[in-house]
Amino acid sequence: MAKPEIENLKKTVLYDLHIANGGRMVDFCGYALPIQYSSLVKEHIHTRNSSSLFDVSHMGQIFVNGADFEAKAKLLETLFPADILSLKSGEMRYSVLLNEKAGIIDDLIITRAENGNDVFIVVNGATKENDFAIMKNMLGDKLEFTLNEDLSLIALQGPKSADVLARYTSIANELIFMQSGAAVIAGINVYVSRSGYTGEDGFEISVSNDQASKLAKILSDNDEVEFAGLGARDSLRLEAGLCLYGHDMNEEIDPITASIIFAIGKQRRIDGGFVGAKAVQDIIANGVEQKRVGIIFNTRMPVREGAQLIDELGNNIGIITSGSFSPTLEKPIAFGYLPKDIAKIGNSVCAIVRGKQVFGSIVKMPFVKQNYKRSIN
Amino acid sequence: MSKTKYSTDHEYVRLEGEVGMVGISIYAQEQLGDIVYVELPNVGVKLSKGDEVAVIESVKAASELYSPVSGEVIEVNEALNDDPALVNTDAQGNGWIYKVALSNISELDEMMDDAAYTDFTS
């Protein structure tokens, strides 16, 4: 229970604000970030009911320059399996970066900016340097990539987030889920995306480092808004059925096995032309051996990452890759990989925790309904 | 007034005659956060000091509890099965974890009293 050594870690510009608000700082991808403030469960429930502010500045914001949009999109499609050309101005798309075997190097979001020309890619904090190197290696002679470390990223998540943001900018009521645009909040220039990692309606706001603390204070001064830490972020994304890179996905797992085939454009699965395309097509044609499924367990005992899944004879047949206690359902929930013929909704499963058998059922994901804003009323 | 002693691992033992009531300190529950499950030992288990005796699970992690004293488990706090959050709300009262018939009461002499523990955690 020793206090984590945080002195040598990188700090986001919101570090002092986290400390002032009682954030318990931990090492996350080499950054000192708050795992929680007062209570993970309170922060989780608050996000489901109101609005929470998360510092996600550790994430990588990579900008692509050097050509018009169409030329950029065509080049990027030789690397990424997403349908990028069809993005309208301001639209965002979830995708992955694959190796030749279709193993997932990272998951990410590609945005065509509101101005129609700029393209940027938000990637995971732990993988951003590697992603950046891969992009430069493959396309650096034709496009210019910039990993912009002068930007922070603030997520405002929860059903009241739009009401809060609408006090400062009309864009809050103009965007729908996976749309973005430039805005000004209390005199601060920002770029707002209606997206997030909690399953709730919300926004991710890119802002220059020198204005980020001011913006976070302005937003958190609203009565509806509380700070929330990485602990709540993890339990929220798990309830929402969202994968965490390095846990539920890695370079040995392809997107079909990971149950995120939607990260690959439908036409692109047929046409190919991206890194890993041949392997993706083979996997689609021949079927997968395993699938990622959602499991709810019957007792209160959490079943965590690394727990083995066994069959009636006690043979190991799968593994849990993320698992926690759902504050919303008040039951343990998990993602696990199981053989395809077993990985079906309604089937019962058995996990081993500290030598004991724990039973559960495969359920449809998400565990908790996603509340994305998919249309303007 | 009963005597409470603390280990450097943040367990407490409250002495009631020859019986020690064991749990985790208020400081420890703050560090662990929201507790969602406590795996209790079986009554009758004979413990040596330092044996793993229980597991306390918060949303984010599982933490083993090592017995700060030796002896036989004579009672466990069944109320934690329904309401593990008692460890958060009343760690050193209704959030106790197990009671042990102490086999070596002198082990308590090596543990910290209230004042020493307050220093230790500040």
Side-chain angles (χ1 to χ4, degrees):
Chain A
M1 243 174 268
K3 283 177 185 155
E5 287 300 330
I6 55 170
E7 285 308 306
N8 298 325
L9 298 172
K10 285 185 273 188
K11 293 182 169 80
T12 69
V13 295
L14 300 188
Y15 179 85
D16 290 343
L17 199 56
H18 298 314
I19 298 292
N21 283 281
R24 185 174 303 159
M25 309 305 276
V26 297
D27 179 354
F28 190 78
C29 314
Y31 285 87
L33 283 166
I35 187 81
Q36 66 174 59
Y37 297 84
S38 66
S39 156
L40 188 163
V41 170
K42 275 187 201 149
E43 291 158 27
H44 180 113
I45 302 288
H46 185 82
T47 311
R48 290 267 177 258
N49 294 323
S50 186
S51 178
S52 295
L53 191 152
F54 299 82
D55 179 10
V56 289
S57 301
H58 60 290
M59 297 187 78
Q61 301 184 56
I62 297 174
F63 290 77
V64 188
N65 291 306
D68 61 28
F69 174 74
E70 197 174 303
K72 264 192 290 212
K74 281 182 178 161
L75 286 165
L76 290 170
E77 285 195 357
T78 65
L79 178 56
F80 298 100
D83 185 350
I84 301 170
L85 255 175
S86 72
L87 282 172
K88 298 189 186 82
S89 294
E91 272 189 348
M92 316 159 63
R93 197 151 284 158
Y94 176 78
S95 193
V96 285
L97 185 57
L98 301 178
N99 61 29
E100 289 293 349
K101 292 180 198 164
I104 304 168
I105 295 170
D106 204 3
D107 69 332
L108 44 90
I109 289 181
I110 301 170
T111 300
R112 179 180 185 182
E114 188 190 27
N115 66 23
N117 190 51
D118 294 342
V119 173
F120 63 91
I121 305 170
V122 176
V123 303
N124 282 297
T127 45
K128 61 187 177 186
E129 302 288 350
N130 187 42
D131 293 355
F132 182 50
I134 290 169
M135 292 178 210
K136 277 198 299 188
N137 278 343
M138 176 139 173
L139 298 169
D141 57 337
K142 302 178 192 81
L143 294 172
E144 185 195 336
F145 293 91
T146 311
L147 176 56
N148 192 332
E149 302 280 10
D150 299 324
L151 293 174
S152 296
L153 194 61
I154 292 170
L156 194 66
Q157 298 282 299
K160 295 185 181 168
S161 301
D163 290 345
V164 170
L165 205 61
R167 288 171 197 150
Y168 308 95
T169 168
S170 60
I171 202 170
N173 294 320
E174 293 161 8
L175 301 174
I176 61 169
F177 181 58
M178 297 301 269
Q179 286 183 343
S180 67
V184 180
I185 298 175
I188 303 168
N189 289 314
V190 296
Y191 195 84
V192 179
S193 303
R194 197 156 198 168
S195 56
Y197 195 45
T198 61
E200 294 298 327
D201 184 22
F203 302 88
E204 290 170 305
I205 306 169
S206 180
V207 56
S208 68
N209 285 342
D210 58 356
Q211 298 289 308
S213 290
K214 187 180 163 200
L215 178 66
K217 280 183 198 148
I218 288 167
L219 293 173
S220 65
D221 275 346
N222 287 275
D223 288 344
E224 297 91 338
V225 180
E226 300 283 347
F227 283 90
L230 295 167
R233 191 162 182 262
D234 190 55
S235 53
L236 288 158
R237 68 92 193 168
L238 185 62
E239 287 186 346
L242 302 171
C243 287
L244 175 60
Y245 191 77
H247 300 261
D248 310 307
M249 299 178 280
N250 59 47
E251 293 196 30
E252 305 300 317
I253 299 173
D254 65 83
I256 300 99
T257 300
S259 303
I260 54 163
I261 194 170
F262 56 85
I264 306 172
K266 274 188 185 144
Q267 190 58 39
R268 305 218 60 209
R269 294 171 210 168
I270 299 161
D271 297 344
F274 53 90
V275 175
K278 175 74 172 65
V280 165
Q281 289 167 340
D282 286 350
I283 293 163
I284 290 171
N286 300 324
V288 292
E289 289 173 19
Q290 293 202 313
K291 286 291 276 186
R292 179 179 64 98
V293 295
I295 304 166
I296 295 184
F297 289 96
N298 301 335
T299 67
R300 285 187 64 94
M301 187 194 291
V303 181
R304 300 184 191 275
E305 181 178 1
Q308 295 287 339
L309 298 166
I310 60 166
D311 64 13
E312 292 86 347
L313 302 172
N315 301 309
N316 284 342
I317 54 168
I319 193 159
I320 297 294
T321 53
S322 280
S324 185
F325 189 85
S326 162
T328 305
L329 304 176
E330 297 195 316
K331 281 182 177 167
I333 58 172
F335 298 152
Y337 281 88
L338 281 167
K340 189 179 63 174
D341 54 333
I342 297 170
K344 294 194 166 74
I345 289 162
N347 278 352
S348 53
V349 295
C350 180
I352 300 294
V353 180
R354 296 184 289 273
K356 293 195 181 92
Q357 295 188 350
V358 187
F359 292 90
S361 308
I362 299 173
V363 298
K364 194 169 182 295
M365 291 186 282
F367 299 101
V368 174
K369 192 175 144 285
Q370 295 165 339
N371 291 312
Y372 301 136
K373 182 82 174 173
R374 293 191 186 273
S375 63
I376 297 288
N377 297 333
Chain B
M1 207 179 127
S2 60
K3 188 167 83 171
T4 303
K5 290 297 208 60
Y6 300 85
S7 75
T8 53
D9 289 333
H10 306 283
E11 296 97 10
Y12 68 84
V13 182
R14 199 164 86 194
L15 191 63
E16 296 169 336
E18 302 282 296
V19 171
M21 186 173 101
V22 183
I24 64 168
S25 70
I26 291 168
Y27 174 87
Q29 68 77 24
E30 281 171 4
Q31 298 300 308
L32 290 176
D34 304 284
I35 290 160
V36 297
Y37 181 78
V38 180
E39 187 165 292
L40 297 166
N42 293 321
V43 171
V45 167
K46 290 188 172 61
L47 298 169
S48 297
K49 180 182 165 182
D51 284 353
E52 184 182 324
V53 60
V55 180
I56 301 171
E57 302 225 31
S58 67
V59 176
K60 61 180 181 279
S63 307
E64 290 82 19
L65 190 150
Y66 299 98
S67 187
V69 286
S70 304
E72 184 177 333
V73 175
I74 57 165
E75 192 181 345
V76 297
N77 188 358
E78 303 277 359
L80 298 181
N81 289 330
D82 294 326
D83 190 6
L86 285 170
V87 179
N88 291 123
T89 54
D90 194 11
Q92 295 183 208
N94 290 326
W96 63 278
I97 294 170
Y98 62 100
K99 291 181 183 176
V100 57
L102 298 166
S103 60
N104 183 1
I105 204 158
S106 68
E107 286 169 347
L108 292 175
D109 298 339
E110 300 153 24
M111 296 175 72
M112 291 174 272
D113 62 15
D114 277 311
Y117 185 67
T118 303
D119 280 350
F120 180 68
T121 53
S122 60

